[in-house]
Amino acid sequence: MSLSIGIVGLPNVGKSTLFNALTKKKAEASNYPFCTIDPNVGIVTVPDGRLDQLAKISNPKKIIPTVIEFVDIAGLVKGAHKGEGLGNQFLSHIRECDAICEVVREFEDKDIVHVDGKIDPDGDRETINLELIFADLSTVEKRLAKVTKEAKSGDKEMIKLRDLLEKLKEGLEAGKAAREFKLDEEEKKLIKSLNLLTIKPILYVLNSNLDTPLIKGDVGIKKWDGNVLKINAKLEEEIVALSDEEQVEYIKELGLNESGLEKLIKISYELLGLITFFTTGEDETRAWTTKLNSKAPVAAGVIHTDFEKGFIRAEVIGYKKFIEVGGEIEAKEKGLIKTEGREYEIKDGDICNFLINK
């Protein structure tokens, strides 16, 4: 399942530094706007302690975690929706992603210039979001002009779409992101082809090195339309340069249970509406990704497309029960492995064995 999160923000806010820390892949992070012309893509392992616990029981030859894809997109500037700063190219890169991680600068560094000459997290967030809103407004207006003509024929679906686009246009003009609209499933389907930028789920990363933050607590950011995670991207980049053992010790010294990056990866995974299920045995213990509320055949199809077509049933046990009893044999003896059919919804942490008609 290939789902990606685009890392966006103004130039020099720490996007590429964060990307480097996430992927340990050195994207260029020079101190000038537009140094990242082409999007850099990194595949990142999703931290999951359950995988190691399963492996201790199954003693497999291979352990394979699940992953998430991050895309480092070059800095946007005011006027991007009109093509400023190669804006059209960068907006198209965002459009191809499934969710947005918006990096907002709060750190102070006299050697790294701010594109607007001052540190202003609220203002920076507003600049980026308005550019995305303006781009969406243009998309909606173009579609609305066409649909309005088609609706004159009396076509009920076109009339519904016209009314929905008019509502969206009004909200976007008022500076409201499309994700803030309460849309039902039918409405979401009607506008899916528009691939709106501001309908994508969003996570804000406040990149800070300040002991006394400019934005204090939740007071200043409660109006932000998404989760907010505070990270010192430069520090995180330094942490991942250490050995695994040194990382653990350093994180403990900071008084933390996990690094900011681990939190970011987990939140990003959830932002995409993803859950993890497992397969485990002597050959391989593996984490798999599927969408929340996926039916068993769909999850089987993640392993191999033919599995969805040939699905017969699934043998399922929850992670906690599997660990408590000490493995598959013990679970079977206690009758804890359940047989589930096509309508079963896979839950996060399920350990599955799919029976397939070959």
Side-chain angles (χ1 to χ4, degrees), residues 141-159:
E141 286 175 335
K142 288 175 184 175
R143 186 78 174 101
L144 180 58
K146 183 179 179 182
V147 169
T148 299
K149 293 178 183 177
E150 295 173 350
K152 289 179 181 178
S153 67
D155 186 305
K156 290 182 179 180
E157 187 165 320
M158 286 300 104
I159 291 172

Side-chain angles (χ1 to χ4, degrees), residues 41-278:
V41 179
I43 306 298
V44 180
T45 297
V46 178
D48 196 328
R50 296 175 297 183
L51 197 61
D52 293 330
Q53 294 302 313
L54 289 174
K56 285 179 182 178
I57 291 173
S58 299
N59 194 27
K61 296 172 185 174
K62 290 190 294 183
I63 302 173
I64 304 176
T66 191
V67 297
I68 190 170
E69 183 177 287
F70 284 91
V71 183
D72 180 25
I73 297 170
L76 292 167
V77 293
K78 191 176 292 184
H81 70 286
K82 296 184 289 188
E84 294 293 331
L86 302 179
N88 290 331
Q89 181 182 345
F90 301 155
L91 288 171
S92 71
H93 292 151
I94 300 171
R95 206 175 295 281
E96 292 167 6
C97 295
D98 299 285
I100 296 171
C101 172
E102 184 173 324
V103 182
V104 180
R105 176 173 174 175
E106 192 182 46
F107 71 86
E108 293 181 341
D109 189 326
K110 59 182 177 58
D111 294 324
I112 301 177
V113 297
H114 189 287
V115 70
D116 291 329
K118 62 177 181 178
I119 309 300
D120 178 13
D122 269 321
D124 290 359
R125 172 191 166 275
E126 184 177 359
T127 296
I128 293 296
N129 287 11
L130 282 177
E131 290 306 317
L132 302 184
I133 286 171
F134 287 143
D136 278 353
L137 182 58
S138 175
T139 299
V140 168
E141 286 175 335
K142 288 175 184 175
R143 186 78 174 101
L144 180 58
K146 183 179 179 182
V147 169
T148 299
K149 293 178 183 177
E150 295 173 350
K152 289 179 181 178
S153 67
D155 186 305
K156 290 182 179 180
E157 187 165 320
M158 286 300 104
I159 291 172
K160 281 183 183 178
L161 180 54
R162 180 201 63 195
D163 293 345
L164 176 56
L165 290 173
E166 286 177 347
K167 183 171 72 173
L168 281 171
K169 179 175 179 291
E170 183 180 343
L172 290 166
E173 287 175 335
K176 189 176 179 181
R179 74 181 68 88
E180 296 181 62
F181 288 82
K182 293 181 180 179
L183 303 176
D184 59 33
E185 289 305 312
E186 184 183 358
E187 289 174 324
K188 289 176 183 177
K189 287 179 182 177
L190 282 173
I191 61 170
K192 186 177 180 181
S193 63
L194 296 178
N195 201 11
L196 298 176
L197 298 168
T198 65
I199 206 167
K200 298 178 188 294
I202 192 166
L203 163 68
Y204 295 100
V205 170
L206 195 60
N207 187 10
S208 180
N209 63 356
L210 302 177
D211 294 327
T212 305
L214 299 177
I215 296 181
K216 298 177 181 178
D218 294 331
V219 177
I221 57 179
K222 62 183 179 181
K223 61 185 178 183
W224 291 18
D225 60 332
N227 288 332
V228 180
L229 178 64
K230 182 168 286 195
I231 278 183
N232 182 333
K234 191 65 179 174
L235 176 63
E236 296 293 338
E237 189 180 32
E238 292 170 3
I239 289 173
V240 297
L242 302 173
S243 68
D244 291 344
E245 293 78 12
E246 288 173 327
Q247 286 184 43
V248 171
E249 287 303 314
Y250 192 27
I251 291 168
K252 282 183 180 177
E253 287 176 14
L254 294 173
L256 303 172
N257 295 321
E258 59 183 350
S259 69
L261 286 184
E262 288 177 327
K263 288 181 183 177
L264 171 59
I265 295 166
K266 289 177 181 177
I267 292 173
S268 298
Y269 192 73
E270 293 169 2
L271 188 69
L272 290 170
L274 301 175
I275 61 170
T276 301
F277 69 94
F278 302 95

